[in-house]
Amino acid sequence: MKERTGYFFEDFHLDQVFRHATPRTLSEADASTFIALTGTRHTLPSASPLAAKLGLPSRPIDDVLLFNIAFGKTVPDISLNAVANLGYAETRFLHPVFAGDTISCKSKVIGLKKNSSGKTGTVYVRSICFNQNEVPVLTWVRWVMVNKRDIDADTPREHVPSLKDVVAPEDFSLAARISSANALDSWCDATGSNDLWDDYVPGERINHPIGVTVEEAEHIIATRLYQNNAKAHFDALAMKQHPVGQRLVYGGHVISLARALSYDGIENALGILAINGGRHVSPTIAGDTIYAFSEVSEKFELPDRNDMGALRLRLVGLKNMTPSEVSSAHPDGSNPSKYHPSIVLDLDYTVAMPRRQKR
Amino acid sequence: MKERTGYFFEDFHLDQVFRHATPRTLSEADASTFIALTGTRHTLPSASPLAAKLGLPSRPIDDVLLFNIAFGKTVPDISLNAVANLGYAETRFLHPVFAGDTISCKSKVIGLKKNSSGKTGTVYVRSICFNQNEVPVLTWVRWVMVNKRDIDADTPREHVPSLKDVVAPEDFSLAARISSANALDSWCDATGSNDLWDDYVPGERINHPIGVTVEEAEHIIATRLYQNNAKAHFDALAMKQHPVGQRLVYGGHVISLARALSYDGIENALGILAINGGRHVSPTIAGDTIYAFSEVSEKFELPDRNDMGALRLRLVGLKNMTPSEVSSAHPDGSNPSKYHPSIVLDLDYTVAMPRRQKR
Amino acid sequence: MKERTGYFFEDFHLDQVFRHATPRTLSEADASTFIALTGTRHTLPSASPLAAKLGLPSRPIDDVLLFNIAFGKTVPDISLNAVANLGYAETRFLHPVFAGDTISCKSKVIGLKKNSSGKTGTVYVRSICFNQNEVPVLTWVRWVMVNKRDIDADTPREHVPSLKDVVAPEDFSLAARISSANALDSWCDATGSNDLWDDYVPGERINHPIGVTVEEAEHIIATRLYQNNAKAHFDALAMKQHPVGQRLVYGGHVISLARALSYDGIENALGILAINGGRHVSPTIAGDTIYAFSEVSEKFELPDRNDMGALRLRLVGLKNMTPSEVSSAHPDGSNPSKYHPSIVLDLDYTVAMPRRQKR
């Protein structure tokens, strides 16, 4: 049968390997279209001469764009029949990617768990994205809730993998990406901010000033740019049967938007080193206005580097309420799974940022 | 007068030649934007390293994108005052086009027929698209219904051209496009499917699983990418006077969408050799959800080629009904001009596909 | 505080200099996306082989696109808290910009005036855009109405600059852009029009035939492409408090659209030399259909150039009425500040155009 229906929960087994289809040559165009779809002003992916000062051949492809295109490659095999993307962990950016590079991905099933309903199960996969020279550029773990085709089918052997809460500094792949930030004399002019690694304090919260209302056409254009073909984002007719009743904005695009909004206040981030974890707390639909705030969770010195440090950040995406209206992601206090109803995204990630040089 | 009103039916005459305006340099950006607007995952236009294995300098511009941009060039002269695009024939893809190439088009009027209403006439043109070295890259015939400026004007001498029902294998221009598919060891990994030419059977039908709901903004962005300036797609105010009452989605963009949907089930197509014929059966408007199914009409061996064969396919585009709900394009049986009401596109085209190699 | 709230009226002072953030590498992608967002068919930014005939290394970035991206760079410092963009003057295009170039901008405050309400003031800035070699490529003056943060704050020293009504031919920077138009034998084939500089008459009016209905998603995608982050274009929730009640289309995008529409009738313009002045007469919102007409104001011979001349044009953008329905921009006669209610844009600019060669 040539009617491609994708994999259902009972089709997966532990250690199963997928080589995902459709390698993709990235281009300056993807960078430009990503700017048009998110408004991102993060500086390194915007300006090649600044990248050259860091020893890079040209401006790198934005980290979140790379993540989303790589993720898109895995959808036809892993999540075509997914109900929800439940979480991310152990995401590491390993090597910069430039216009002209061609990426491809593979995934391995590292965990399986049937759900109590019997209708779905959770599939854990570790994915790796390579460039055309087979150099790994990005790796991540995600887990998704996947429908069963046949509710009575045998379910695969279960295993819940143990995943790290945070990517440790010794696991950052910094050298390949930024050999030295000492040359960045004019960096703060280029970013418009003088706040460097030294100026951020754990516990500090930054409300990002801008909000963006999402339109149906823009999120589907973005999700197609990522070559993600999950039905829930594209087929309004089928989504009438879904509890939400309409197309859902792809969660990775919410990350793109929130990360773009976070520029104002975290202008000097040089790139993402790791995504420690992430949750799409509630769905976003066209018409929602997205805002964001960030919290500084932790600061890392980096081994053998006095030119830069790492900041662990929590990026919280909100819908239809401004950051100033939401005093805490967890109004109930300590319960980390009970969120303020406006929250759509809770992302825990780590960036590199230049340190102030002693003169 | 510098108010450009375009050509009306009485302005055309047989053998009239148009050199169409606005040559266009194509770029990686057009490839990327086309992915964003259609979600296409066809492999060769997606990945340059795969193209290199076929002896091409880089990934070629997607055939449907090329067709639509070339078509757009002809609109200001041929169809600015068109009521409807009635059909296509004898479309042949002659030479690959790459980022950096500049295309331009010319057309010749090969047929004219006044309509019984007296208000319109049908204009048949054969168009050729060239690259910057004057190499023909694409040729097609289309016929359009064009308004008369003055209902009492004399009409031009009539002639209905005889057109071929199908482009024959000896008229394919394959050598320039794909010198050999024997090097494609990893092709099926890249496409995600092991179904090769050998595995398709005339009469077989393939339902494509994905549907896409069209938004106003996305179809006008696509149609502008094609530099097609026909009013019906852009001017909602003027379209209030039209029977449909709103902007129409450009038929070529429906082809783009349906062809992108057809990836799932026909993954190994290497490129389009010919469009034998095509009809926009009914209009598509924003809000419609497009689905598609394909039928295998015919298989061709190719002269002197044992690495690949050709498949003649019928690509049927549907609106607001899934392929599983539409058992036949012609529920009435043999009447080929009476279509199921959900059908928007009936395209007859031929692709190249690798053959299974004997080891 | 890392909550970036931007500059308010009381934060500006005369001669204050801003080096704006986020240098931007331009690419073929920006050219392509601009075509997709505006439908522009202006020939020189469309086709590299024609640019080569003028001695340029490749097709230049469209002048209006360059203006809008450069303008976007100034928004976070100058107009994040702007109520309205009031006008433009002394805009000169100094040097061509190509894919691969990186632009950055700086601005100087040249005027300040408090408004009678006491709640706002007018800020005049002269901005300069440079390429990566510090060559000035574009300069302009604009003035904006900016909110005060604190209505009781002291206001800065006032000064209203004197600005020229029109950029004089000796201030055009033509040589760097178009060394000779004599080589343009096939130019009129490429543009589709034989109307050259010689054929335009001061006082002549040209109604442009096409209209475009603006969608929410397309104007926000365009405005993001320009990396303009002004709230009024993006945040529908906040705009519910605004008298208009919804997002406003960025005025520079209205210029992009109207300029694209003006192709039909002014096909042979080679590029913009200057924008003498401009007003966004009334706001444009999604759903509006934009039309345009042009008036020829003045013709200039150019010093030492018999290959081309300059045309001073008035580009009038309309909403929801066609040019044939609006006989004059000022139905009241001579009052230049009282406009026909359909008018959204009144732009006074000067283009270069080839002259008919004596054989």
Side-chain angles (χ1 to χ4, degrees):
Chain A
M1 270 298 293
K2 299 196 184 72
E3 191 161 342
R4 314 301 185 194
T5 55
Y7 290 82
F8 290 84
F9 183 61
E10 62 264 42
D11 302 322
F12 292 97
H13 60 83
L14 274 177
D15 296 327
Q16 190 174 8
V17 171
F18 293 91
R19 290 181 63 104
H20 303 299
T22 331
R24 167 81 166 270
T25 302
L26 297 167
S27 73
E28 290 277 334
D30 298 301
S32 172
T33 306
F34 190 67
I35 288 172
L37 291 168
T38 65
T40 180
R41 290 173 290 132
H42 288 285
T43 310
L44 202 50
S46 181
S48 283
L50 287 164
K53 289 192 182 180
L54 291 169
L56 297 173
S58 67
R59 56 178 177 166
I61 295 292
D62 186 283
D63 299 320
V64 177
L65 174 58
L66 174 66
F67 176 78
N68 276 322
I69 294 181
F71 183 104
K73 302 268 143 268
T74 71
V75 167
D77 295 318
I78 306 300
S79 50
L80 205 63
N81 298 303
V83 183
N85 237 330
L86 298 175
Y88 307 100
E90 299 187 9
T91 304
R92 295 186 300 138
F93 291 82
L94 302 170
H95 196 83
V97 173
F98 303 101
D101 285 348
T102 299
I103 62 167
S104 56
C105 293
K106 60 184 186 189
S107 296
K108 186 175 181 176
V109 177
I110 61 166
L112 290 162
K113 193 168 85 71
K114 63 182 170 198
N115 293 333
S116 55
S117 74
K119 294 180 191 162
T120 59
T122 301
V123 180
Y124 296 76
V125 291
R126 185 181 304 277
S127 300
I128 307 181
C129 176
F130 301 88
N131 71 13
Q132 68 281 6
N133 302 317
E134 299 293 322
V135 175
V137 297
L138 172 64
T139 179
W140 73 98
V141 171
R142 68 165 167 137
W143 52 105
V144 291
M145 192 190 300
V146 176
N147 278 315
K148 290 181 74 172
R149 183 189 292 107
D150 172 4
I151 198 167
D152 297 321
D154 283 348
T155 51
R157 183 163 62 87
E158 293 193 294
H159 171 74
V160 175
S162 83
L163 297 166
K164 292 175 187 160
D165 284 340
V166 57
V167 177
E170 56 269 26
D171 291 329
F172 297 158
S173 183
L174 188 59
R177 302 186 69 209
I178 301 159
S179 56
S180 166
N182 283 328
L184 290 181
D185 280 344
S186 53
W187 182 253
C188 291
D189 278 345
T191 63
S193 163
N194 292 313
D195 290 319
L196 296 177
W197 180 82
D198 314 72
D199 304 311
Y200 290 82
V201 180
E204 183 177 5
R205 169 173 157 158
I206 301 158
N207 286 349
H208 305 301
I210 310 290
V212 286
T213 306
V214 180
E215 292 296 314
E216 212 74 87
E218 62 167 321
H219 80 81
I220 62 176
I221 290 173
T223 306
R224 282 170 175 159
L225 180 69
Y226 313 144
Q227 287 180 316
N228 178 330
N229 66 333
K231 273 188 189 187
H233 315 310
F234 296 109
D235 185 336
L237 195 63
M239 289 302 287
K240 284 187 182 159
Q241 310 305 320
H242 185 278
V244 171
Q246 65 179 94
R247 284 170 284 182
L248 307 179
V249 177
Y250 161 52
H253 189 58
V254 175
I255 297 177
S256 297
L257 292 173
R259 163 82 172 143
L261 296 175
S262 78
Y263 179 77
D264 291 299
I266 314 177
E267 295 86 350
N268 283 312
L270 283 166
I272 301 179
L273 298 170
I275 299 175
N276 304 298
R279 275 189 64 180
H280 298 296
V281 177
S282 66
T284 299
I285 56 174
D288 285 340
T289 301
I290 301 296
Y291 300 90
F293 66 86
S294 294
E295 292 172 355
V296 180
S297 319
E298 201 172 356
K299 290 176 73 169
F300 304 106
E301 308 237 349
L302 292 173
D304 304 317
R305 300 290 294 247
N306 57 13
D307 59 333
M308 60 175 56
L311 284 183
R312 184 178 174 190
L313 299 165
R314 181 190 195 182
L315 173 61
V316 179
L318 309 172
K319 65 179 175 192
N320 307 326
M321 292 188 78
T322 63
S324 62
E325 295 171 302
V326 178
S327 60
S328 165
H330 301 295
D332 262 14
S334 58
N335 181 350
S337 66
K338 180 123 196 247
Y339 281 91
H340 188 284
S342 68
I343 291 182
V344 292
L345 173 70
D346 188 8
L347 193 77
D348 175 351
Y349 74 114
T350 304
V351 298
M353 194 180 279
R355 297 177 70 159
R356 188 156 286 117
Q357 297 305 301
K358 294 174 183 82
R359 302 279 173 179
Chain B
M1 270 297 294
K2 299 196 184 71
E3 191 163 341
R4 315 300 186 197
T5 53
Y7 290 82
F8 289 83
F9 183 61
E10 61 265 42
D11 302 323
F12 291 97
H13 60 83
L14 273 176
D15 296 328
Q16 192 173 7
V17 170
F18 295 91
R19 290 180 63 104
H20 304 299
T22 331
R24 166 85 164 269
T25 302
L26 297 168
S27 73
E28 291 276 336
D30 299 300
S32 172
T33 307
F34 190 67
I35 288 172
L37 291 167
T38 65
T40 179
R41 291 175 290 131
H42 288 285
T43 309
L44 202 50
S46 181
S48 283
L50 287 165
K53 290 191 182 179
L54 290 169
L56 297 172
S58 67
R59 56 178 177 166
I61 296 292
D62 186 283
D63 298 319
V64 177
L65 174 58
L66 174 66
F67 175 78
N68 276 322
I69 294 181
F71 183 104
K73 301 270 142 266
T74 71
V75 167
D77 296 317
I78 306 301
S79 50
L80 205 62
N81 299 303
V83 183
N85 238 331
L86 299 175
Y88 307 100
E90 299 187 9
T91 304
R92 294 187 300 137
F93 292 82
L94 302 171
H95 197 83
V97 173
F98 303 100
D101 285 349
T102 300
I103 62 167
S104 56
C105 295
K106 59 184 187 189
S107 297
K108 186 175 182 176
V109 177
I110 60 166
L112 291 162
K113 192 168 87 72
K114 65 183 170 197
N115 293 333
S116 55
S117 73
K119 294 178 189 164
T120 60
T122 301
V123 181
Y124 297 76
V125 291
R126 185 181 303 276
S127 300
I128 308 182
C129 177
F130 300 88
N131 71 12
Q132 68 280 5
N133 301 318
E134 300 294 321
V135 175
V137 297
L138 172 63
T139 179
W140 72 99
V141 170
R142 68 165 168 138
W143 51 107
V144 292
M145 192 190 302
V146 176
N147 278 315
K148 289 182 74 171
R149 181 191 293 108
D150 172 4
I151 197 167
D152 297 321
D154 282 349
T155 50
R157 182 164 63 89
E158 294 192 293
H159 172 74
V160 175
S162 84
L163 296 167
K164 291 175 188 160
D165 284 340
V166 57
V167 177
E170 56 270 25
D171 291 329
F172 297 158
S173 184
L174 188 59
R177 302 187 70 210
I178 301 158
S179 56
S180 166
N182 283 328
L184 289 182
D185 280 344
S186 52
W187 181 253
C188 291
D189 279 344
T191 62
S193 163
N194 291 314
D195 290 320
L196 296 176
W197 181 82
D198 315 71
D199 304 310
Y200 290 82
V201 180
E204 183 177 6
R205 170 174 158 158
I206 302 159
N207 286 349
H208 305 299
I210 310 290
V212 287
T213 307
V214 179
E215 292 295 313
E216 212 74 88
E218 62 167 321
H219 81 80
I220 62 178
I221 290 174
T223 307
R224 283 168 173 160
L225 179 70
Y226 312 143
Q227 287 181 314
N228 178 330
N229 66 334
K231 271 188 190 188
H233 314 309
F234 296 109
D235 186 336
L237 195 63
M239 289 301 286
K240 283 186 183 160
Q241 311 305 320
H242 186 278
V244 171
Q246 65 179 93
R247 286 170 283 181
L248 307 180
V249 177
Y250 160 52
H253 189 56
V254 176
I255 297 177
S256 297
L257 293 173
R259 164 83 172 140
L261 296 176
S262 79
Y263 179 76
D264 291 299
I266 314 177
E267 295 87 349
N268 283 314
L270 283 167
I272 301 179
L273 297 169
I275 300 176
N276 304 300
R279 275 189 65 179
H280 298 296
V281 177
S282 67
T284 299
I285 56 174
D288 284 341
T289 302
I290 302 296
Y291 300 89
F293 66 86
S294 293
E295 293 172 355
V296 180
S297 320
E298 201 171 355
K299 289 176 75 169
F300 303 106
E301 308 237 349
L302 292 173
D304 304 317
R305 299 290 293 246
N306 57 12
D307 59 334
M308 60 176 55
L311 284 184
R312 184 178 175 191
L313 298 165
R314 181 189 195 182
L315 173 60
V316 179
L318 309 173
K319 65 180 174 191
N320 306 326
M321 291 189 79
T322 62
S324 61
E325 296 171 302
V326 179
S327 60
S328 164
H330 301 296
D332 261 14
S334 59
N335 182 350
S337 66
K338 181 123 195 249
Y339 280 91
H340 188 283
S342 68
I343 291 181
V344 292
L345 173 70
D346 188 8
L347 193 77
D348 174 350
Y349 74 115
T350 305
V351 299
M353 193 179 280
R355 297 177 68 158
R356 188 156 287 117
Q357 297 305 302
K358 294 174 184 83
R359 303 280 174 177
Chain C
M1 270 298 293
K2 299 195 185 75
E3 191 162 340
R4 316 300 186 196
T5 54
Y7 290 83
F8 289 84
F9 183 61
E10 61 265 43
D11 302 323
F12 291 97
H13 60 84
L14 274 176
D15 296 330
Q16 191 174 6
V17 170
F18 294 90
R19 290 181 62 105
H20 304 298
T22 330
R24 168 82 165 269
T25 302
L26 297 168
S27 73
E28 291 276 335
D30 298 301
S32 170
T33 307
F34 190 67
I35 288 172
L37 291 167
T38 65
T40 180
R41 289 174 291 132
H42 289 286
T43 310
L44 202 49
S46 180
S48 283
L50 287 164
K53 289 191 181 179
L54 291 170
L56 297 173
S58 66
R59 56 178 177 166
I61 295 292
D62 186 283
D63 298 320
V64 177
L65 174 58
L66 174 66
F67 176 79
N68 276 322
I69 294 181
F71 184 104
K73 302 269 143 264
T74 72
V75 167
D77 296 318
I78 306 302
S79 49
L80 205 62
N81 298 302
V83 183
N85 238 330
L86 299 175
Y88 308 99
E90 298 187 11
T91 304
R92 295 186 298 138
F93 291 83
L94 303 171
H95 197 84
V97 173
F98 303 100
D101 284 349
T102 300
I103 62 166
S104 56
C105 293
K106 60 184 185 187
S107 297
K108 186 176 182 175
V109 177
I110 62 167
L112 290 161
K113 193 168 85 71
K114 65 182 171 199
N115 293 333
S116 54
S117 72
K119 294 180 190 160
T120 59
T122 302
V123 181
Y124 296 76
V125 292
R126 186 182 303 277
S127 301
I128 308 181
C129 177
F130 301 88
N131 71 12
Q132 67 282 4
N133 302 318
E134 300 293 322
V135 175
V137 297
L138 172 64
T139 178
W140 72 99
V141 171
R142 68 166 167 137
W143 51 107
V144 291
M145 192 190 302
V146 176
N147 278 315
K148 289 181 75 172
R149 182 190 292 107
D150 171 5
I151 196 167
D152 297 322
D154 282 349
T155 50
R157 183 164 61 87
E158 294 192 294
H159 171 74
V160 175
S162 83
L163 296 167
K164 291 176 186 158
D165 284 340
V166 57
V167 177
E170 56 269 25
D171 292 327
F172 297 157
S173 183
L174 188 59
R177 301 187 70 210
I178 302 158
S179 56
S180 167
N182 283 328
L184 290 181
D185 281 344
S186 52
W187 183 253
C188 292
D189 279 344
T191 63
S193 163
N194 292 314
D195 290 319
L196 296 176
W197 181 82
D198 314 71
D199 305 309
Y200 290 82
V201 181
E204 182 178 6
R205 169 174 157 158
I206 302 157
N207 286 348
H208 306 300
I210 310 289
V212 286
T213 306
V214 180
E215 293 296 313
E216 212 73 87
E218 63 167 321
H219 81 80
I220 63 177
I221 290 174
T223 307
R224 283 170 174 159
L225 179 70
Y226 312 145
Q227 288 181 316
N228 179 330
N229 65 333
K231 272 187 190 188
H233 314 310
F234 297 109
D235 186 336
L237 195 62
M239 290 302 286
K240 284 187 182 160
Q241 311 304 319
H242 185 278
V244 171
Q246 66 179 94
R247 285 170 283 182
L248 307 178
V249 177
Y250 160 53
H253 189 58
V254 176
I255 297 177
S256 297
L257 292 174
R259 164 81 172 141
L261 295 176
S262 78
Y263 179 77
D264 291 299
I266 314 176
E267 295 87 349
N268 283 313
L270 283 167
I272 301 178
L273 298 169
I275 299 175
N276 304 298
R279 275 189 65 179
H280 298 296
V281 176
S282 66
T284 298
I285 56 174
D288 284 341
T289 301
I290 302 297
Y291 301 89
F293 65 86
S294 294
E295 292 172 356
V296 180
S297 319
E298 202 172 355
K299 290 176 73 168
F300 304 107
E301 307 237 348
L302 292 172
D304 304 317
R305 299 291 292 247
N306 58 13
D307 58 334
M308 59 175 58
L311 284 184
R312 184 178 174 190
L313 299 166
R314 181 189 195 183
L315 174 60
V316 180
L318 309 172
K319 64 179 176 192
N320 307 326
M321 291 188 77
T322 62
S324 61
E325 296 171 302
V326 179
S327 60
S328 164
H330 302 296
D332 261 15
S334 59
N335 182 351
S337 66
K338 182 121 195 250
Y339 281 90
H340 188 283
S342 69
I343 292 182
V344 291
L345 173 70
D346 188 8
L347 192 78
D348 175 349
Y349 74 115
T350 305
V351 298
M353 194 181 280
R355 297 178 70 158
R356 188 157 288 115
Q357 298 305 302
K358 295 174 182 83
R359 302 280 174 177

